[in-house]
Amino acid sequence: MTVTGPAQYHLLSLPDGSCETVSCLASVIRCRATVPTVIVDVTAVQRLSIDALAVLVRKAMRLHAADGQLLLAGPCPAVRKVIERTGTGPLLPVFTDSTAALRALAEDGRVWHHVELPAGRSALFAEPPPPEL
């Protein structure tokens, strides 16, 4: 299989594991992501609620539908345990840090480049259609 296009990713930090913070991160990805591969640095997260995990899983599924993925870098043992117990590991692969996540991405032979999120709207996700009146 030949992979075309630039190999780019966004790197975002998650300051805590509350559902509100994770929902905000998911909204930022939806509104501003320009590439479908996102590495989320979760080293600061000590606890991840089930609701927050559900938000991450939904976002990972959306990114997967756009031929991308969401990777978690640096989860503490408690976060790893939640992911293992819920069986969400295939959707949310975890890595010791962002460097390890990049090494895993590079296994396809491409060189990956970090891309900052732009200030404008996303070109990745289409806006939902307006409601019919």
Side-chain angles (χ1 to χ4, degrees):
M1 177 173 100
T2 303
V3 179
T4 60
Q8 300 176 330
Y9 68 95
H10 295 300
L11 176 61
L12 306 173
S13 293
L14 188 61
D16 65 64
S18 72
C19 191
E20 294 80 17
T21 304
V22 173
S23 295
C24 182
L25 176 87
S27 178
V28 165
I29 293 170
R30 178 180 51 81
C31 293
R32 296 173 49 198
T34 57
V35 295
T37 300
V38 178
I39 299 172
V40 178
D41 183 340
V42 294
T43 55
V45 176
Q46 297 302 310
R47 182 181 173 277
L48 190 64
S49 71
I50 293 297
D51 292 335
L53 180 63
V55 172
L56 288 173
V57 166
R58 282 193 302 274
K59 186 52 56 185
M61 291 169 61
R62 279 292 302 246
L63 291 169
H64 183 72
D67 292 325
Q69 55 190 324
L70 188 135
L71 310 173
L72 299 181
C76 69
V79 171
R80 283 180 180 267
K81 185 181 277 187
V82 167
I83 291 169
E84 288 171 12
R85 286 188 174 173
T86 58
T88 55
L91 284 171
L92 295 170
V94 297
F95 299 90
T96 55
D97 55 27
S98 58
T99 302
L102 283 172
R103 276 195 303 267
L105 288 174
E107 288 178 0
D108 68 3
R110 295 186 289 172
V111 176
W112 287 78
H113 303 280
H114 176 245
V115 178
E116 294 291 336
L117 287 176
R121 301 292 295 170
S122 172
L124 181 61
F125 299 112
E127 291 293 321
E132 292 187 28
L133 300 176

